[in-house]
Amino acid sequence: MMIDFKTILFTTALLTGCSPQRPAANSAPQIRTETVFSADSAYRNAAAQLAFGPRVPNTAAHDSCAAWLETELERYGARVSVQTGTAKAYDGTELHYRNIMGSIHPEATNRVLLIAHWDSRHVADNDPIRSKRAQPVPAANDGASGAAILLEIARVSTIKTPQTGIDLLLADAEDYGAPDTWTGQHREEDWALGTQAWAREAAKKGYKADYGILLDMVGASDATFFREYFSERYAPETADLVWSIARDLGYSSLFVNSEGPAITDDHVFVNRIAHIPTIDIIDTRQQYGQTFYPYWHTTDDTLDKLSKETLGKVGNVLTTLLFK
């Protein structure tokens, strides 16, 4: 994902001026729930992905992890469909992508789309050690954390019946955008390549979902999830619902009810191409000039940076939304 600098100044103006309407403090019922979402299980899902090594497209680790993800979804009874193809990266590299969809209760008309990318970035271009910047990223938080939660939701669906059908999209080739040192053109379309391909196919086939939720970097111990700018423009009602559930679960310090920066991420293309109102739950920071998790696009985005507590809280919000 990348920061959309074209809208940062406008976002800042919104933050310092008027802000969107928020639900009243007593507008949603208080939620008391015993969730069956297991943070330990989600953490193990992340560890399993990292055990393959960096899941960079066109590598053996990538292919092996894809097979494992498909097997796990099938093990939990999801109907698995796979979209394969090639996409041209910013530098002309032909990337062989593999989008994996696990559908729960595929017969249901009303559906919710949950998305996470599972690939690893090919270069650690944000690493503080220059000699490491050509290395791939382990991608514990930026990739594995979201996919880990989606797999755990698939497991929960074997225990509890969701209110709607659920489609779990594990999107590929998300993080192969141009590094800052690239002297060629920098385009937002060079990110989320797998999701763009999926959205075009979904629109062609008439796929519908009531709303979508993207998970990106959802496992750090000190995470903060602000209401991302594009999410507020495309799907404010979904953001209201998610953040109100988080509030009622006591997670207001994690799900901060304030507008965050504009991020060009998978959800932007799902909104623009497939026209499914989709939000992005993404860890952004608003201090010390830092936008993302400090190990973003570095070789230190490793398993030890993940927090079971954060994974569990994000999972509790989603399972409350989907199963309560």
Side-chain angles (χ1 to χ4, degrees):
M1 78 298 299
M2 65 180 291
I3 306 168
D4 193 309
F5 290 101
K6 293 178 292 185
T7 55
I8 290 295
L9 292 177
F10 182 49
T11 304
T12 304
L14 287 172
L15 286 167
T16 56
C18 60
S19 61
Q21 289 285 333
R22 303 295 186 216
N26 60 355
S27 62
Q30 292 296 305
I31 297 171
R32 296 292 180 265
T33 180
E34 288 187 18
T35 181
V36 293
F37 186 94
S38 169
D40 288 336
S41 178
Y43 187 86
R44 288 193 296 270
N45 292 338
Q49 292 172 76
L50 266 71
F52 291 103
R55 286 82 60 210
V56 178
N58 301 349
T59 65
H62 173 273
D63 295 344
S64 296
C65 186
W68 177 80
L69 291 168
E70 292 166 34
T71 299
E72 288 298 285
L73 288 170
E74 289 171 348
R75 185 162 72 92
Y76 295 131
R79 185 183 69 186
V80 176
S81 57
V82 177
Q83 179 193 27
T84 60
T86 59
K88 186 171 289 188
Y90 66 94
D91 59 355
T93 301
E94 291 285 341
L95 302 178
H96 300 284
Y97 64 81
R98 195 170 186 87
N99 295 324
I100 303 165
M101 173 86 92
S103 295
I104 297 165
H105 294 304
E107 74 286 349
T109 301
N110 285 35
R111 311 202 63 76
V112 174
L113 175 67
L114 302 183
I115 313 164
H117 81 88
W118 66 274
D119 60 303
S120 301
R121 182 154 174 75
H122 60 304
V123 288
D125 51 318
N126 201 46
D127 203 288
I129 301 175
R130 288 185 175 273
S131 61
K132 293 185 176 182
R133 291 181 183 174
Q135 297 179 24
V137 176
N141 194 28
D142 191 4
S145 64
I149 288 175
L150 295 199
L151 289 179
E152 175 58 8
I153 288 174
R155 187 196 68 81
V156 171
S157 73
T158 67
I159 301 169
K160 302 191 74 170
T161 302
Q163 297 184 26
T164 66
I166 303 172
D167 294 313
L168 306 171
L169 174 60
L170 298 172
D172 197 4
E174 187 273 343
D175 225 356
Y176 212 99
D180 290 341
T181 54
W182 176 248
T183 56
Q185 189 176 12
H186 288 251
R187 306 181 309 158
E188 65 176 4
E189 293 83 4
D190 291 330
W191 301 85
L193 296 173
T195 296
Q196 291 182 60
W198 179 87
R200 287 191 292 269
E201 186 69 12
K204 180 180 177 181
K205 291 184 175 180
Y207 169 83
K208 301 294 183 184
D210 297 334
Y211 58 89
I213 298 174
L214 168 65
L215 304 181
D216 200 347
M217 294 192 286
V218 287
S221 59
D222 55 349
T224 48
F225 305 123
F226 289 86
R227 296 170 62 129
E228 187 273 336
Y229 174 88
F230 289 121
S231 305
E232 291 290 272
R233 271 72 209 158
Y234 286 116
E237 296 85 0
T238 303
D240 284 341
L241 182 58
V242 169
W243 264 256
S244 66
I245 289 173
R247 177 199 66 207
D248 292 334
L249 289 173
Y251 302 159
S252 293
S253 62
L254 178 62
F255 285 79
V256 182
N257 196 28
S258 299
E259 188 168 279
I263 309 298
T264 298
D265 209 346
D266 301 86
H267 70 305
V268 170
F269 301 104
V270 173
N271 279 296
R272 290 178 182 172
I273 301 171
H275 305 294
I276 299 167
T278 302
I279 68 169
D280 192 3
I281 299 177
I282 184 169
D283 181 1
T284 56
R285 317 295 174 93
Q286 295 194 358
Q287 56 182 350
Y288 313 123
Q290 182 175 313
T291 300
F292 292 131
Y293 150 84
Y295 306 105
W296 172 71
H297 291 184
T298 75
T299 57
D300 288 322
D301 185 10
T302 47
L303 186 65
D304 60 299
K305 308 304 190 303
L306 296 187
S307 161
K308 292 181 182 179
E309 180 180 3
T310 303
L311 292 170
K313 287 180 177 179
V314 174
N316 288 346
V317 170
L318 292 178
T319 50
T320 299
L321 172 64
L322 298 168
F323 298 94
K324 185 67 174 172

